[in-house]
Amino acid sequence: EVAGVVADTWWEHTDVGHTDEAKKEFKALFGDDANAFDTPKPVRLLKRLLQLSTESEAGDVVLDFFAGSGTLGQAVLEMNQEDGGNRRFVLVQLPEPTPNPNYPTISSVTRGRVQKAAERIRTGDKKLTDQDLGFRAFSLDTSNFKLWNGEAEDIQGQLEDLVDNPVEGRSQEDVLFELLLKAGLPLSSKIQEQEIQGQKVFSVAEGQLLICLERPVGAEALRAMMTLEPRPLQVVCLDVAFLGN
């Protein structure tokens, strides 16, 4: 848009699409699973909003609290591919049920659309990588660590239980991202997985933070982590990983 010119408040469907176009776009991605979502928005409409509200290389972050089928994610990916931009997006969607068993919740539709749109763009532009088109998906849950109950009478029992404080059944990746939040780092932080002395270590933010969630953690591995170059600012392990040593 030309600087200083106010956008029109009436947009013709010839410029920003319509509901029939939106349904065809959705069906082109989902095929026989198109019944998973009935009211998608046209991609051209979201692109029009992006043209008005973002700059291609300003690193703008676009937020949609009612993501639905994920049209905004697709629009951002396509706009970046078209003008070389570096826009990012955050999509939020409740897991409301759908009639489709392959996509049982609307949030699964959201994730599916972003993934399918990225795959289609990558097929047409071999220069693009996962870093250009990738995304992370998170679901709200309880903490990965057992919590202290200040009202419980069995204090001794709680203390003994909290010696091994991670919640059973949670993956290392579950714990990893909770630790990122506790460390004040964004969920979009760059994470690299590496092996040190035979143990899996997550290197965060170019090695500034090392997180090892193995059990147990050997002394040799711990020394190796603390003496890496460049030196990490922090090394995080689970208490239970030291087996009381």
Side-chain angles (χ1 to χ4, degrees):
E1 294 301 310
V2 178
V5 177
V6 178
D8 295 332
T9 55
W10 178 265
W11 296 347
E12 297 287 348
H13 69 83
T14 52
D15 297 321
V16 297
H18 44 68
T19 54
D20 185 58
E21 177 181 314
K23 290 180 179 180
K24 289 178 179 177
E25 290 172 340
F26 188 74
K27 185 174 178 59
L29 291 174
F30 283 83
D32 293 338
D33 290 313
N35 69 330
F37 196 84
D38 292 331
T39 55
K41 295 179 284 291
V43 176
R44 283 197 293 163
L45 173 61
L46 275 298
K47 285 185 177 180
R48 175 66 169 166
L49 293 175
L50 292 173
Q51 289 170 348
L52 292 172
S53 59
T54 67
E55 297 179 19
S56 62
E57 298 183 8
D60 292 331
V61 180
V62 187
L63 172 65
D64 187 348
F65 264 122
F66 301 91
S69 72
T71 312
L72 179 64
Q74 180 178 349
V76 169
L77 292 175
E78 290 187 5
M79 284 282 290
N80 285 343
Q81 192 269 334
E82 292 167 8
D83 62 14
N86 57 8
R87 305 171 188 83
R88 293 175 292 166
F89 57 86
V90 177
L91 307 180
V92 183
Q93 177 58 53
L94 291 173
E96 301 174 48
T98 77
N100 189 298
N102 295 326
Y103 296 91
T105 64
I106 294 181
S107 54
S108 67
V109 174
T110 310
R111 292 191 298 271
R113 180 168 192 163
V114 176
Q115 183 175 359
K116 290 174 183 294
E119 290 172 351
R120 188 171 70 177
I121 293 171
R122 187 182 291 110
T123 300
D125 191 340
K126 301 297 184 181
K127 299 189 299 296
L128 296 175
T129 66
D130 288 341
Q131 188 171 350
D132 299 310
L133 298 168
F135 68 99
R136 289 175 179 162
F138 299 94
S139 298
L140 287 176
D141 206 334
T142 55
S143 174
N144 295 287
F145 300 99
K146 300 172 186 175
L147 301 179
W148 176 263
N149 183 356
E151 299 179 358
E153 296 182 0
D154 184 13
I155 295 178
Q156 180 65 33
Q158 279 202 82
L159 288 171
E160 293 174 355
D161 188 44
L162 290 175
V163 170
D164 187 357
N165 66 334
V167 174
E168 291 296 326
R170 304 295 176 88
S171 69
Q172 288 196 12
E173 284 71 21
D174 292 334
V175 178
L176 167 67
F177 284 104
E178 180 170 349
L179 291 176
L180 286 189
L181 293 176
K182 291 182 183 299
L185 295 170
L187 293 174
S188 58
S189 297
K190 183 178 180 180
I191 300 171
Q192 295 174 300
E193 186 178 315
Q194 60 189 102
E195 187 174 296
I196 298 178
Q197 293 290 319
Q199 299 194 296
K200 183 166 70 172
V201 176
F202 298 101
S203 175
V204 184
E206 305 295 345
Q208 294 184 51
L209 170 64
L210 296 182
I211 299 177
C212 181
L213 302 173
E214 300 280 64
R215 303 190 218 178
V217 171
E220 296 80 7
L222 194 57
R223 291 192 189 97
M225 282 186 269
M226 292 189 290
T227 56
L228 279 180
E229 293 294 343
R231 292 291 178 88
L233 300 178
Q234 191 174 15
V235 176
V236 177
C237 303
L238 297 172
D239 287 347
V240 71
F242 300 107
L243 302 178
N245 184 347

